[in-house]
Amino acid sequence: MADSVATGLEDEKDTENEDKEREKRPFHSTGKTEKSSGTSELTETLGFYERKAKKQDSKHSLSDLSLLRFVSAELTRGYFLEHNEAKYTERRERVYTCLRIPKELEKLMLFGFFLCLDAFLYVFTLLPLRVLLALIRLLTLPCCRLSGSRLLQPAQVCDVLKGFIMVLCYSMMHYVDYSMMYHLIRGQSVIKLYIIYNMLEMADRLFSSFGQDILDALYWTATEPKERKRAHIGVIPHFLMAVLYVFLHAILIMVQATTLNVAFNSHNKSLLTIMMSNNFVEIKGSVFKKFEKNNLFQMSNSDIKERFTNYVLLLIVCLRNMEQFSWNPDHLWVLCPDVCMVIASEIAVDVVKHAFITKFNDIPADVYGEYRASLAFDLVSSRQKNAYTDYSDSVSRRMGFIPLPLALLLIRVVTSSVKIQGALSFVCVILFYLGMITLKVLNSIVLLGKSCVYVKEANMEEKLFQSPPSTVPSRESSRAHRSKHTHEPAGESVEEGMLASIISQPTHQPECTASKLPTSESDQFLTTPDESEEKVLIQDGTELIHRAPKKDLLEIDRFTICGNRID
């Protein structure tokens, strides 16, 4: 009985639980409840229809992206360049600049060539006459009993020194056998000659950089005011050093001309081709570097000097070859193609090099007009009453072109190639000398007129009337130069508008306190800054000196910025 009663109670509880669960289930739209299995089936059915609709839409979109529509879109796709007008305008200006470079560069090269020619002809024409006048004055002045006046003016002293250097070096050049040097070089292999020629070019640049300093040291030592007569003895070692330099540099150029002569006379012309290809290597070494306007001015001066030197070397080669063929005019036409090929390759390399340098560094083509005006200023300033240097020396400092060794070699080659015999030969020599004087005078007149026009166009007339820098003894000059670096007051800008091609001499500056001294002199003055201003740190670490860099082209010569940074 008890078991049956317990079983009945459990059945009633189960039925009550089932009723509660049915009440919790959701009603259908008709008001009747459905089973859970029916509800899940309805949900799954609705999801299936939604997924099916999405698949149909994606199929329609994929059908739109057909290959034909892609090709038609590529053929009809458009764009508007005016949306980036500044960019394309800049690109067009770069193209115009590259197209203007050959014309502007050749204007500068032609003007610089005639400047070098004027300085070169000066050695043959006016320098002997000036030396003769100085010697006449030296011999006749003691007879006039003019006490208190100088025997020779500083310019005459420099002319006499140049004349003595040329005479001594010419006598020493007679001991050098050109024929033996030619056969010695011709017996070498092509690769050796190529290496030798590259070494000679590098040595020529090093000799030119140091040689002008030697000559300037000699001129200043001979003309500076001296308190004691013993001080004149110091001219002798400087003179011997200058004679040794001119002789060695002339020998170097002779070896270079002999190597070029061997290349011309080679049967397969392979050496000449290799030497010409060496010019294109110069493009790789200079185009992909950072250049400022002053650096480009230095390179332009170097290219002018190099081109003029190559022309003189080609003249020497032609003279030697014409002598070997007994001055047969037909052989000259044989040499003309090779000569034109060398000249054309030199011009092409210079044009390509300058075009890409100006393109990569955003330098306008008008900068070559400024370079031409700067070179013209040297010529005009050398004609002033307050001129402090000869024009040939100014060209030497500006371009690195030293005419004495090259003129010495040309005299040596001409005298050995041309035999002067009889009165008629001497008459021809005199007429040739008069013709050279006429060419020199006409060239100087035309250059002076053109230079005045260029200076006027550049608005540089005011600088012509500025007084030259004050002259101080050498020891005081070096001491003042040192004090300028260590006692320079704050806010002082670099002096502009200097005459010709020298850097301004330091003036006396008031002494400053110890706190104003720079911490490191070598760290501040080794390089030229690229920014518009240079900041110099003071010892206390708080105060700064703002100083504008040297941007005047008149202060830049051939070797002023050789040690500066070219990134």
Side-chain angles (χ1 to χ4, degrees):
M1 291 293 293
D3 295 334
S4 61
V5 173
T7 302
L9 292 174
E10 290 177 357
D11 292 336
E12 290 178 357
K13 291 180 180 180
D14 292 335
T15 54
E16 291 177 358
N17 293 330
E18 288 176 0
D19 294 335
K20 292 180 181 180
E21 290 177 359
R22 289 174 183 176
E23 291 176 357
K24 293 179 180 180
R25 291 175 183 173
F27 290 90
H28 195 260
S29 59
T30 56
K32 298 181 180 178
T33 61
E34 296 182 356
K35 297 182 180 179
S36 61
S37 60
T39 305
S40 61
E41 289 177 359
L42 179 61
T43 306
E44 291 176 0
T45 303
L46 293 174
F48 171 75
Y49 287 132
E50 292 176 358
R51 287 195 298 270
K52 186 175 181 181
K54 291 181 180 179
K55 286 181 180 180
Q56 290 178 356
D57 294 338
S58 62
K59 285 181 180 180
H60 287 296
S61 62
L62 290 176
S63 64
D64 295 338
L65 298 178
S66 61
L67 180 61
L68 182 61
R69 290 178 61 86
F70 177 76
V71 173
S72 62
E74 288 294 322
L75 293 177
T76 59
R77 181 172 54 88
Y79 49 87
F80 299 93
L81 298 181
E82 58 267 19
H83 291 170
N84 199 351
E85 181 180 356
K87 174 183 177 182
Y88 290 104
T89 303
E90 181 183 0
R91 297 294 175 86
R92 185 176 61 184
E93 291 298 328
R94 287 185 181 181
V95 174
Y96 292 165
T97 300
C98 289
L99 294 178
R100 289 179 57 195
I101 288 300
K103 179 182 177 181
E104 298 295 331
L105 177 63
E106 289 308 315
K107 284 182 181 180
L108 175 65
M109 290 291 177
L110 187 62
F111 184 74
F113 173 81
F114 283 106
L115 292 181
C116 293
L117 180 63
D118 189 71
F120 191 64
L121 291 176
Y122 172 81
V123 180
F124 299 99
T125 56
L126 299 184
L127 181 61
L129 298 178
R130 290 175 63 92
V131 172
L132 182 61
L133 293 176
L135 292 178
I136 292 175
R137 174 185 172 85
L138 185 62
L139 295 176
T140 58
L141 191 61
C143 300
C144 298
R145 298 178 180 179
L146 296 176
S147 59
S149 61
R150 303 181 62 171
L151 292 178
L152 294 176
Q153 298 298 324
Q156 294 177 329
V157 173
C158 296
D159 293 334
V160 171
L161 290 175
K162 290 178 183 178
F164 286 163
I165 290 173
M166 293 293 292
V167 171
L168 289 178
C169 292
Y170 178 74
S171 61
M172 295 168 63
M173 288 289 291
H174 276 288
Y175 295 96
V176 181
D177 191 356
Y178 186 87
S179 300
M180 184 187 68
M181 183 183 299
Y182 175 81
H183 291 288
L184 181 64
I185 294 176
R186 189 174 184 179
Q188 306 299 324
S189 61
V190 176
I191 300 301
K192 284 185 179 180
L193 291 179
Y194 174 70
I195 296 174
I196 289 173
Y197 193 78
N198 288 336
M199 293 173 60
L200 292 175
E201 283 188 347
M202 183 60 64
D204 179 57
R205 296 181 181 180
L206 296 178
F207 267 78
S208 299
S209 64
F210 190 61
Q212 187 58 40
D213 294 337
I214 294 176
L215 295 177
D216 287 340
L218 171 64
Y219 301 152
W220 174 241
T221 305
T223 58
E224 67 175 341
K226 300 177 178 63
E227 299 177 356
R228 296 179 301 175
K229 293 184 177 180
R230 291 183 180 180
H232 294 278
I233 302 177
V235 180
I236 298 177
H238 286 85
F239 179 76
L240 296 178
M241 190 183 302
V243 171
L244 181 62
Y245 155 70
V246 174
F247 175 71
L248 292 179
H249 199 177
I251 294 295
L252 177 66
I253 301 175
M254 177 181 284
V255 177
Q256 194 172 359
T258 306
T259 307
L260 188 61
N261 194 8
V262 171
F264 268 77
N265 294 330
S266 60
H267 297 288
N268 53 3
K269 305 294 182 181
S270 59
L271 179 59
L272 184 61
T273 305
I274 293 174
M275 292 169 62
M276 289 174 55
S277 65
N278 187 36
N279 293 330
F280 292 91
V281 179
E282 185 180 357
I283 298 177
K284 177 183 177 182
S286 57
V287 165
F288 301 104
K289 291 182 179 179
K290 182 180 179 182
F291 277 85
E292 298 294 335
K293 188 169 67 172
N294 293 340
N295 301 102
L296 185 60
F297 184 39
Q298 177 198 11
M299 174 173 286
S300 302
N301 292 333
S302 178
D303 292 338
I304 294 172
K305 176 254 180 183
E306 182 180 357
R307 185 177 294 189
F308 184 83
T309 304
N310 289 336
Y311 290 162
V312 177
L313 292 180
L314 291 174
L315 177 61
I316 293 174
V317 169
C318 292
L319 289 176
R320 296 299 299 178
N321 279 275
M322 293 296 292
E323 180 198 3
Q324 297 299 323
F325 287 89
S326 301
W327 300 97
N328 186 5
D330 296 334
H331 185 68
L332 183 61
W333 298 106
V334 177
L335 295 175
C336 281
D338 295 335
V339 172
C340 294
M341 187 169 54
V342 172
I343 295 175
S345 65
E346 187 73 24
I347 295 175
V349 167
D350 290 339
V351 168
V352 172
K353 179 176 64 177
H354 283 264
F356 281 97
I357 286 177
T358 53
K359 178 182 182 297
F360 293 151
N361 296 276
D362 295 331
I363 300 177
D366 298 333
V367 73
Y368 291 101
E370 299 179 13
Y371 298 161
R372 190 170 61 246
S374 179
L375 295 177
F377 186 86
D378 293 338
L379 179 59
V380 176
S381 61
S382 64
R383 300 294 192 268
Q384 299 294 320
K385 294 182 179 180
N386 58 350
Y388 52 88
T389 182
D390 186 68
Y391 174 67
S392 59
D393 296 331
S394 177
V395 172
S396 301
R397 297 185 189 98
R398 178 76 75 176
M399 300 182 182
F401 172 69
I402 304 177
L404 293 183
L406 197 59
L408 178 64
L409 176 60
L410 187 59
I411 294 173
R412 173 69 175 84
V413 171
V414 171
T415 53
S416 62
S417 301
V418 180
K419 304 300 180 182
I420 302 175
Q421 296 176 355
L424 183 60
S425 300
F426 283 101
V427 172
C428 292
V429 170
I430 294 174
L431 292 177
F432 181 74
Y433 179 72
L434 293 177
M436 291 181 63
I437 293 179
T438 305
L439 179 62
K440 169 68 173 64
V441 173
L442 291 177
N443 187 36
S444 299
I445 292 174
V446 174
L447 282 179
L448 187 59
K450 288 290 185 180
S451 299
C452 292
V453 173
Y454 295 150
V455 170
K456 186 177 181 180
E457 290 177 353
N459 299 322
M460 301 170 66
E461 302 96 328
E462 297 180 357
K463 297 181 180 181
L464 292 173
F465 303 101
Q466 295 180 1
S467 59
S470 58
T471 304
V472 293
S474 58
R475 292 183 180 179
E476 295 178 5
S477 175
S478 61
R479 190 178 300 112
H481 186 67
R482 244 182 256 114
S483 64
K484 180 177 176 62
H485 288 333
T486 55
H487 300 87
E488 186 174 7
E492 181 182 6
S493 60
V494 177
E495 184 180 0
E496 298 180 353
M498 297 306 299
L499 293 174
S501 58
I502 66 167
I503 298 178
S504 59
Q505 298 291 335
T507 57
H508 180 70
Q509 304 292 341
E511 296 183 357
C512 301
T513 58
S515 61
K516 298 293 183 180
L517 295 176
T519 56
S520 177
E521 184 175 314
S522 60
D523 294 338
Q524 300 172 20
F525 302 101
L526 284 178
T527 58
T528 300
D530 295 331
E531 293 81 13
S532 59
E533 291 185 349
E534 179 185 4
K535 294 182 179 180
V536 182
L537 185 63
I538 307 302
Q539 188 173 3
D540 56 5
T542 58
E543 188 177 359
L544 293 175
I545 293 178
H546 296 273
R547 187 179 61 208
K550 297 179 180 179
K551 295 296 183 182
D552 195 354
L553 291 177
L554 299 178
E555 300 177 358
I556 304 299
D557 58 27
R558 171 66 182 86
F559 306 106
T560 298
I561 55 178
C562 282
N564 290 351
R565 181 182 66 224
I566 302 179
D567 295 327

